[in-house]
Amino acid sequence: MILLWQDSALGRMSEGIQHPDLSKFLVIGALLFSIGVAGVLVRRNIIVIFMSIELILNAANLNFIAFSRYLQETGNVNAVAGQVFTVFIIVVAAAEAAIGLGLVIALYRNRGTVFVDKIDLLKW
Amino acid sequence: MHRYIWLVPLLPLVGAAINGLLGRKFRFSERLVSAVAVGSVALAFLISVAAVVNYGTTIWPKTYVTSDDGAFKYTWIPGGATEITEGLQERAEGETTKKASDEAGRVARERGTKPGEAVVVGVTHAPVRRGQGSVLDVEWSYQLDPLSSVFMLIVTGVGLCIFVFATGYMHGDRGFYRFFSYLGLFMFSMLILVMGSNFMMMFVGWEGVGLCSYLLIGYYFDRKEAGDASRKAFITNRVGDFGFALAVFGVIATFGTTQYTSVMSQASAFPIEIIGQWGIMSWIALGLFVGACGKSAQIPLYVWLPDAMAGPTPVSALIHAATMVTAGLYMLTRTNVIFQHSQAMMLVVAIIGALTALFAATIGITQNDIKKVLAYSTVSQLGFMFLACGVGAFVIGIFHVMTHAFFKALMFLGAGSVIHAMHHEQDMRRMGGLRKYMPKTYWTFFAGWLAICGVIPFAGFWSKDEILWNAASTEYFHSGWLLWLIATIAATCTAFYMTRLMALTFWGRERFLEVRAGGQADEAHAAAYDEGKAVHVAIDPSVADRPHHGPEERVGVAHVLEAEAVGEAEATDTRGHDVHDHHDPHEPAGHGQHPHGSVVPHESPPSMWVPLAVLAVLATVGGFVGISPAFAGGQHVGGRLNIVNWLDPVIWNPATGRFGKETSAEVTALEERNKSVAGREAVRQEGSREAPLPTESGEGHAEPPLPYGDTGFNLAHAVQGVLGGSHAAAEWFFIVVSLLAAGLGMGLGYLFYIRKPELPDLWAARLSSLYRASFNKYWIDELYGALFTRRTMDAARAVNAVDSKGIDGAVNGAAWLTRQLSRFTGATDRLVVDGAVNGVAGFIKLLMSPLLRAAQTGVAANYALVMILGLVAAVGLYFGKDILAAITGAR
């Protein structure tokens, strides 16, 4: 019975929900990454760009986790590097956000704007 | 003692080194310098005397070389030719082998021999050619033989007198230590010259004395004429040294050695070259003679000697009268074997000697500078010596060297004493009557005067008379009588000018009290002074031979003003040369108070007159070592103490082809005796050397004829024939003639300068052309100036022109060309290469800059976009195919 259920399409679906396929995580990560990239490219407000960057980082985190879990599932119970890396990235992102927001505030104080198309200092 | 002769040259060298190297640094006092210099020479003299006495009693007549018994030997120039000859040997062997195989191949081909068959060939062995001079070993060792012993004694003995004199004469000179250092160096060189055992050592000494002569003539180097004179002496001597060097090369090439003993024994076996033949012996003799002419001041190279009087007077006495100028005579006598092998060169030597004797004597008559007169007298006397050598009487030449060393050194030192007393006045016209003021100098000078004039029994008589006799009786070539005549006239002139010198200096009025002209021996200046055109101040106080007295010396104007300030009477009419000799404690107290303001001469200190006295004694009795056979029963009496017998072993006898004067019969007798009496000891016996000498036998003339062919008319033989064939009578005839000549010269001198002082001017006017020629020294200096000096300068200028125009022009032209080329390439570089580079750069700049500038917006988002695009591109590039495949595969 169980075997049958498992063979049925519904069974396969519930099985897929319970143990989602690696590719689904990767697709979601790719989508998150794309959204982040688009945000970075098209938004003017530097804070939004920051948030987009967070999206990109989290896309990466998702991939790390996914691969880590996948490896554990497939037998390598010690494959925790991806999870550790994720924790690192979260820490670094927090630090980056703190410094970045500080910079943004300093920038705003100096230039009176947070729009990146107004800040073309790299031209020089 | 003879084993220690190597100390003789060494001691003066050590003395010179001490004085020269330490004298300045440690400010040696004059006493110390004198002690070192005189002490070293005195010690050398004592060693010489001891060595010669020892040699004379034990070894004479053989030659002693220090390398023989190991007393002193050093291989100075090791001839490393042994290896070369060994190489030659191997090469010759190799050539022989090659020749043999070639020959074998040829023979085999001719006979058609099959391979493997043997062919016997005979090949002459190639001889190894050993160059005759290829094993030249030059050693440094000293030779003691009759000739070098005489010279050792002259050099150290007369040298010692002159050293002592110089300590007085040079007193107060700033360069005292330097003077004695040079003088010691000279003694060293001269002793090397006369004591060396080979030609190379003679050459070293020869050049050494030349150098010292140069240094000492130019001792007062702050004076132009001293510098000029020293250079003149040096350069003139170079001409002679050139000939000497060539002769030494000739000796090495011919005999393969430079050692005298070997050269002489080899040379005596060579064939004699009579006039018309000119072989190697004549060439060597010619070269040696050119060297002797330079060093001994013979025509045509005599010009340096009179100028050399610019040196201090002791130098003139030592170097330019007593020792160095006789080096040529030493060389001639040393190489008499070679000269006697060339009849032509003997004739040349005799002619040059006779002409020099007469030529210099005639110049000496008219000179006014006391040292110049003595200088020309020296040249003349050297001519006599050369004449003696030329006519074959080498022994007499050396005898005259010795007597001349005594009386000429005496006269030079006497002249130095006079000059010293006259406060460096050298012009005899401002002297006179000095007999009263300096009796010691006068009486010693008197002895020298009698000696040089040839008055019996003073030293000069014996040697000069022998020279004249030998000239008249020579059998070496034709026309000895002509040489005799020339020499007799020269001897008369000698007596005349020496009497003139005596009269002007010591006799007559005291002209130094009258003549107001200044102290420069300068004709033009004196004349200008007389006309009031020139003020006599010693602007150039260094004309005369005068020691430096340091910066405090009072000369000329400054001295006059100073004297005026203190109210000295002499101030109004001070003679410019009047340098106060503060050093002289013997100066009379009345000095300076004379009405004419002139100086009163004073006798010289003992350090100066004692050497004079010693030399005067020698000049008086020195001739007795060579007393004429005519006075002694036709024999050279005194055994080996007679200089003729003493020197005999070094003189080659062309009649017998052996050394020594014995005739063939005597040689045979001697040899037999040597055989019978055991060993060589017999030779040492006094008796054996006193075998009857050729001059002894009056009639019959036992001497065999010389191998120079018939020499035609012989004055001595003719006189002998007229006087009944008596040899002694003939000799007496020539003695009387030479005494008459001397008397004539002296009488004329007395007549001209004492009895009738107006005569000289009268005769000078009457024979004005002759007088001017003599007074101007026959314009020889001017002639040489025009012929050689100016031609040399012209050549130098021509060479300079070629150098500056041609060679420099080529160099500068090349430089110019290079510069033009570099300009062209520079322009090319700038225009073409740089232009291309810049053009490309400009093009790129124009084309690319808007594009690149546009890309740089400065907006971070744009850069991020590019990054993303790049990422996409990269991913696409690497994984594009996989992605495509996945997409298509999925579909």
Side-chain angles (χ1 to χ4, degrees):
Chain A
M1 173 60 194
I2 291 171
L3 287 174
L4 272 175
W5 185 75
Q6 280 181 335
D7 285 343
S8 69
L10 191 68
R12 278 208 307 277
M13 210 169 123
S14 69
E15 186 78 353
I17 291 162
Q18 260 187 345
H19 299 284
D21 197 3
L22 177 61
S23 60
K24 293 189 172 68
F25 294 98
L26 295 184
V27 168
I28 292 169
L31 284 175
L32 272 175
F33 181 81
S34 301
I35 292 163
V37 166
V40 167
L41 291 183
V42 301
R43 296 306 295 249
R44 295 172 68 198
N45 194 320
I46 201 165
I47 293 174
V48 179
I49 290 174
F50 257 121
M51 293 186 332
S52 303
I53 290 171
E54 292 301 320
L55 277 186
I56 293 171
L57 290 174
N58 281 326
N61 284 350
L62 190 59
N63 275 17
F64 273 123
I65 297 289
F67 279 113
S68 178
R69 287 290 299 180
Y70 173 73
L71 288 173
Q72 284 175 348
E73 284 292 319
T74 51
N76 192 349
V77 290
N78 290 325
V80 292
Q83 299 167 29
V84 172
F85 236 99
T86 305
V87 175
F88 265 111
I89 289 172
I90 290 166
V91 171
V92 170
E96 181 232 330
I99 293 168
L101 287 173
L103 285 173
V104 170
I105 290 163
L107 188 67
Y108 182 76
R109 282 185 183 157
N110 276 309
R111 311 275 305 204
T113 178
V114 289
F115 287 168
V116 288
D117 55 351
K118 301 285 186 227
I119 305 161
D120 54 356
L121 282 171
L122 285 178
K123 207 171 178 177
W124 288 284
Chain B
M1 205 55 207
H2 57 267
R3 285 176 63 89
Y4 297 100
I5 53 170
W6 53 272
L7 276 169
V8 174
L10 190 66
L11 281 166
L13 180 67
V14 170
I18 292 172
N19 279 338
L21 299 178
L22 309 177
R24 184 189 177 92
K25 177 108 177 164
F26 297 103
R27 295 171 195 282
F28 277 14
S29 68
E30 287 192 3
R31 292 177 71 97
L32 184 54
V33 171
S34 309
V36 170
V38 174
S40 64
V41 174
L43 213 52
F45 175 61
L46 289 179
I47 294 173
S48 303
V49 170
V52 171
V53 167
N54 196 336
Y55 168 77
T57 48
T58 57
I59 303 180
W60 186 88
K62 283 187 307 200
T63 299
Y64 169 71
V65 182
T66 51
S67 59
D68 287 349
D69 62 355
F72 186 90
K73 184 189 178 174
Y74 166 65
T75 305
W76 172 33
I77 304 175
T82 337
E83 291 82 0
I84 294 170
T85 47
E86 278 170 4
L88 283 178
Q89 183 89 45
E90 282 161 18
R91 197 174 130 196
E93 278 169 11
E95 273 173 10
T96 312
T97 319
K98 189 170 172 289
K99 218 165 152 188
S101 62
D102 287 354
E103 181 75 5
R106 191 180 62 80
V107 171
R109 269 200 307 281
E110 277 175 7
R111 291 194 201 147
T113 319
K114 291 178 192 112
E117 265 184 280
V119 175
V120 179
V121 289
V123 178
T124 50
H125 209 73
V128 183
R129 190 180 172 281
R130 291 171 197 273
Q132 273 177 308
S134 61
V135 281
L136 176 70
D137 266 312
V138 182
E139 65 179 39
W140 191 278
S141 58
Y142 300 105
Q143 177 164 341
L144 195 58
D145 69 349
L147 182 60
S148 64
S149 62
V150 169
F151 268 87
M152 266 167 75
L153 291 181
I154 294 175
V155 171
T156 53
V158 177
L160 179 62
C161 289
I162 294 168
F163 266 65
V164 172
F165 179 90
T167 60
Y169 186 83
M170 298 305 285
H171 180 70
D173 190 283
R174 272 179 293 173
F176 201 79
Y177 74 93
R178 182 165 64 94
F179 180 80
F180 278 97
S181 170
Y182 291 167
L183 224 50
L185 195 60
F186 168 79
M187 291 294 279
F188 165 73
S189 306
M190 190 69 205
L191 287 166
I192 292 293
L193 201 167
V194 298
M195 288 171 63
S197 65
N198 54 54
F199 282 96
M200 294 300 277
M201 281 182 77
M202 195 205 275
F203 193 71
V204 169
W206 196 267
E207 297 299 321
V209 293
L211 168 71
C212 294
S213 167
Y214 165 80
L215 290 172
L216 284 163
I217 295 169
Y219 176 71
Y220 299 130
F221 55 80
D222 51 353
R223 263 183 245 159
K224 189 173 183 307
E225 74 274 8
D228 288 347
S230 62
R231 266 178 288 131
K232 186 174 182 178
F234 203 67
I235 292 167
T236 313
N237 268 306
R238 289 279 76 68
V239 179
D241 295 350
F242 175 66
F244 185 20
L246 287 182
V248 173
F249 298 154
V251 165
I252 294 171
T254 312
F255 304 111
T257 177
T258 56
Q259 209 69 10
Y260 294 143
T261 45
S262 170
V263 169
M264 300 316 160
S265 58
Q266 286 185 55
S268 55
F270 271 65
I272 285 173
E273 294 155 9
I274 59 168
I275 286 177
Q277 296 170 326
W278 188 269
I280 184 66
M281 296 308 254
S282 301
W283 279 116
I284 294 175
L286 179 65
L288 292 171
F289 179 64
V290 170
C293 272
K295 196 60 82 189
S296 291
Q298 297 297 295
I299 291 173
L301 298 176
Y302 74 93
V303 289
W304 64 273
L305 187 55
D307 284 24
M309 296 302 130
T313 305
V315 171
S316 309
L318 178 61
I319 300 184
H320 306 125
T323 56
M324 185 190 86
V325 288
T326 59
L329 275 303
Y330 169 78
M331 182 171 77
L332 249 58
T333 310
R334 177 59 80 200
T335 57
N336 69 79
V337 190
I338 296 173
F339 275 91
Q340 293 194 69
H341 272 85
S342 170
Q343 194 185 10
M345 278 314 297
M346 290 295 276
L347 183 59
V348 167
V349 173
I351 289 174
I352 292 285
L355 287 182
T356 309
L358 181 63
F359 191 76
T362 53
I363 296 176
I365 290 175
T366 55
Q367 300 303 307
N368 287 322
D369 185 328
I370 186 167
K371 282 181 77 181
K372 279 275 158 69
V373 175
L374 290 176
Y376 280 105
S377 164
T378 303
V379 175
S380 171
Q381 297 299 312
L382 289 167
F384 275 105
M385 299 171 205
F386 270 65
L387 173 62
C389 290
V391 298
F394 291 94
V395 172
I396 304 303
I398 298 304
F399 183 30
H400 199 56
V401 165
M402 190 184 82
T403 55
H404 176 257
F406 294 153
F407 63 71
K408 189 52 67 66
L410 166 64
M411 297 179 93
F412 260 113
L413 295 187
S417 181
V418 167
I419 292 166
H420 187 73
M422 294 296 292
H423 296 265
H424 309 292
E425 174 62 78
Q426 288 183 202
D427 194 330
M428 291 191 296
R429 286 167 301 179
R430 305 196 190 100
M431 297 178 183
L434 288 175
R435 176 186 177 180
K436 194 171 80 183
Y437 297 94
M438 34 199 329
K440 295 189 183 94
T441 304
Y442 169 69
W443 285 111
T444 50
F445 209 102
F446 194 81
W449 169 61
L450 291 177
I452 193 171
C453 289
V455 174
I456 196 165
F458 289 86
F461 164 76
W462 304 105
S463 51
K464 189 184 285 185
D465 175 65
E466 282 289 309
I467 291 173
L468 295 177
W469 158 251
N470 276 290
S473 67
T474 184
E475 289 172 8
Y476 280 78
F477 35 72
H478 287 272
S479 311
W481 62 274
L482 197 60
L483 297 171
W484 171 81
L485 192 63
I486 295 173
T488 306
I489 295 170
T492 315
C493 290
T494 306
F496 178 74
Y497 68 69
M498 274 303 160
T499 310
R500 171 175 176 267
L501 187 147
M502 284 299 284
L504 288 177
T505 309
F506 291 106
W507 302 331
R509 287 177 292 116
E510 293 140 307
R511 285 182 305 281
F512 55 87
L513 303 179
E514 304 158 10
V515 181
R516 293 180 61 194
Q520 291 172 325
D522 176 2
E523 297 299 313
H525 185 268
Y529 180 87
D530 286 341
E531 292 162 19
K533 281 182 196 157
V535 185
H536 188 84
V537 289
I539 295 163
D540 178 18
S542 55
V543 167
D545 158 29
R546 180 175 62 76
H548 297 268
H549 292 278
E552 76 280 1
E553 77 179 352
R554 297 191 291 164
V555 181
V557 187
H559 172 42
V560 173
L561 294 176
E562 189 187 359
E564 260 173 356
V566 296
E568 278 183 34
E570 66 177 310
T572 50
D573 191 12
T574 298
R575 300 177 53 184
H577 72 282
D578 178 10
V579 181
H580 280 240
D581 291 340
H582 303 291
H583 60 272
D584 199 342
H586 302 279
E587 210 161 19
H591 166 78
Q593 265 108 55
H594 198 274
H596 293 277
S598 194
V599 283
V600 177
H602 50 84
E603 185 56 272
S604 297
S607 64
M608 289 168 72
W609 69 257
V610 169
L612 286 178
V614 172
L615 286 169
V617 170
L618 287 174
T620 308
V621 303
F624 289 115
V625 298
I627 195 159
S628 173
F631 286 81
Q635 281 195 23
H636 289 288
V637 291
R640 62 184 67 174
L641 283 179
N642 189 315
I643 192 163
V644 177
N645 296 337
W646 174 264
L647 284 173
D648 196 36
V650 295
I651 308 299
W652 188 68
N653 188 350
T656 57
R658 306 169 69 91
F659 287 88
K661 267 244 162 68
E662 297 91 350
T663 58
S664 329
E666 286 159 359
V667 169
T668 326
L670 216 78
E671 275 173 355
E672 277 168 10
R673 188 169 164 177
N674 287 352
K675 276 178 208 155
S676 60
V677 181
R680 297 167 300 174
E681 288 306 307
V683 185
R684 293 190 184 166
Q685 298 290 323
E686 193 77 20
S688 64
R689 295 302 299 183
E690 277 195 347
L693 287 164
T695 39
E696 182 242 3
S697 45
E699 285 168 72
H701 211 47
E703 199 174 356
L706 296 181
Y708 297 113
D710 181 26
T711 54
F713 175 70
N714 187 310
L715 183 64
H717 294 173
V719 169
Q720 192 175 335
V722 170
L723 293 178
S726 163
H727 192 79
E731 276 201 73
W732 270 106
F733 173 77
F734 283 100
I735 288 168
V736 169
V737 169
S738 76
L739 280 172
L740 282 178
L744 177 67
M746 291 161 76
L748 274 178
Y750 187 72
L751 179 71
F752 267 52
Y753 291 94
I754 300 297
R755 294 297 292 274
K756 294 184 176 169
E758 71 278 5
L759 275 181
D761 290 336
L762 193 68
W763 279 94
R766 207 172 282 177
L767 301 171
S768 68
S769 56
L770 276 177
Y771 176 78
R772 270 187 286 115
S774 167
F775 185 77
N776 291 306
K777 303 147 197 166
Y778 298 102
W779 295 283
I780 292 292
D781 279 338
E782 286 78 0
L783 179 72
Y784 282 5
L787 276 184
F788 303 114
T789 315
R790 249 166 273 153
R791 295 292 81 79
T792 310
M793 295 296 282
D794 287 348
R797 264 183 231 112
V799 170
N800 183 35
V802 170
D803 184 45
S804 64
K805 301 245 166 64
I807 297 180
D808 285 8
V811 172
N812 290 341
W816 178 85
L817 202 66
T818 311
R819 220 173 114 206
Q820 297 305 317
L821 266 173
S822 72
R823 257 189 207 147
F824 172 72
T825 50
T828 311
D829 186 43
R830 218 171 41 249
L831 294 175
V832 178
V833 181
D834 286 8
V837 172
N838 291 340
V840 170
F843 174 72
I844 290 170
K845 189 179 83 183
L846 275 174
L847 188 75
M848 300 294 285
S849 65
L851 230 78
L852 291 170
R853 196 161 54 212
Q856 297 295 325
T857 59
V859 180
N862 291 349
Y863 301 127
L865 174 62
V866 174
M867 272 170 66
I868 298 300
L869 287 177
L871 185 65
V872 168
V875 169
L877 210 60
Y878 282 103
F879 302 108
K881 274 185 188 166
D882 296 339
I883 292 168
L884 209 63
I887 290 168
T888 48
R891 205 180 340 172

